[in-house]
Amino acid sequence: QVQLVESGGGLVQAGGSLRLSCAASGLTFSTYTMGWFRQAPGKEREFVAAITWSGGSTYYADSVKGRFTISRDNVKKTVFLQMNSLKPEDTALYYCAAYYGPRCSGRCWDSVREYNYWGQGTQVTVSS
């Protein structure tokens, strides 16, 4: 049974930092592309960042580029999202997600539909 468990969310002032973690189990982690998505109240779930299963290429939404960094530790089966210079508009429930990397050779990493497995989410609230 695949499980993705996020942690690290919380309340932070604008300009502050948080580091999210997502621990995976029940899958061969190194063969999965990992992504972070977020969903604010009344809005659709949106792509934040992804790191591919092979070579560790990274991709970011324009809104977080230069402020957020995604990384992975294949030994610990964990993916991280370092969030710096946080803004009130970053407030959302942040989800970790995974899909089997070799299944998609094109651009799949920013599509909600491509991800097979999802965590329960961790809340990030940025106060102004």
Side-chain angles (χ1 to χ4, degrees):
Q1 181 181 355
V2 176
Q3 279 194 312
L4 301 177
V5 180
E6 302 97 334
S7 61
L11 174 64
V12 64
Q13 287 190 329
S17 298
L18 283 173
R19 189 192 195 206
L20 305 184
S21 299
C22 171
S25 61
L27 50 74
T28 305
F29 185 74
S30 60
T31 64
Y32 279 75
T33 289
M34 303 299 296
W36 287 96
F37 290 76
R38 66 187 182 187
Q39 188 166 18
K43 294 189 176 181
E44 291 188 353
R45 193 168 299 189
E46 65 174 4
F47 169 75
V48 175
I51 185 165
T52 58
W53 68 283
S54 62
S57 296
T58 57
Y59 302 94
Y60 298 93
D62 288 343
S63 59
V64 307
K65 208 170 288 184
R67 299 188 297 122
F68 290 10
T69 302
I70 188 171
S71 61
R72 65 190 296 159
D73 184 330
N74 286 344
V75 174
K76 295 183 178 179
K77 297 185 178 181
T78 302
V79 62
F80 304 97
L81 186 67
Q82 178 66 44
M83 306 186 296
N84 299 329
S85 302
L86 283 161
K87 305 175 181 180
E89 50 263 44
D90 294 318
T91 295
L93 189 59
Y94 281 72
Y95 295 94
C96 171
Y99 71 83
Y100 182 59
R103 176 177 59 78
C104 178
S105 59
R107 177 173 174 164
C108 300
W109 34 265
D110 59 350
S111 172
V112 170
R113 294 189 196 88
E114 296 297 336
Y115 287 81
N116 307 102
Y117 303 108
W118 293 83
Q120 293 299 306
T122 185
Q123 179 67 38
V124 171
T125 303
V126 184
S127 63
S128 56

